[in-house]
Amino acid sequence: MEKKICNDTTGDDKKLHVFIEFCIATVVGALISVIPFPHAIWAAIIAFVVAFAFGIWKEKKDAKQAGNHFCIWDLMWDAVGCLGGSVVAFLANYYTYNL
């Protein structure tokens, strides 16, 4: 079985990957913003990890479909969205307890 190497670095779905991962990380950040972490960076880390785990799961699930493949570039764009959402999570947690 020949493995296909993904070279789809800027496909049409990349913006959707960024947007969805941003939304997931933001929602997770909003939900955990009420937890008094020792430092707000923990909220950002948790939001990033949860959103990125979802992105990996979705990419692995989609790779099993006929005509689809596991795309590392999709995961890289997922990470961009997760990073943006984790900044929101950081700010939400920080300003919840530091006003």
Side-chain angles (χ1 to χ4, degrees), residues 3-31:
K3 292 202 179 220
K4 181 178 178 183
I5 296 182
C6 180
N7 59 3
D8 183 22
T9 58
T10 58
D12 294 337
D13 68 329
K14 304 310 182 216
K15 290 178 186 173
L16 184 61
H17 279 270
V18 172
F19 177 71
I20 295 298
E21 294 298 324
F22 175 81
C23 290
I24 292 170
T26 300
V27 168
V28 170
L31 292 173

Side-chain angles (χ1 to χ4, degrees), residues 35-47:
I35 300 172
F37 292 109
H39 195 281
I41 194 71
W42 288 107
I45 291 169
I46 292 169

Side-chain angles (χ1 to χ4, degrees), residues 1 3 11 18-19 25 31 34 44 48-49 65-66 70 73 77 79-80 89 96:
M1 182 166 90
K3 292 202 179 220
V18 172
F19 177 71
L31 292 173
V34 297
F48 184 93
V49 168
Q65 295 177 343
F70 187 87
W73 299 107
W77 285 108
V80 170
T96 299

Side-chain angles (χ1 to χ4, degrees), residues 11 14-16 22 27 36 43 47 49 56-57 67 73 75-76 83-84 87 89 92 98-99:
K14 304 310 182 216
K15 290 178 186 173
L16 184 61
F22 175 81
V27 168
V49 168
I56 292 170
W57 170 81
W73 299 107
L75 288 180
M76 291 183 74
L83 186 61
V87 169
N98 294 299
L99 282 180

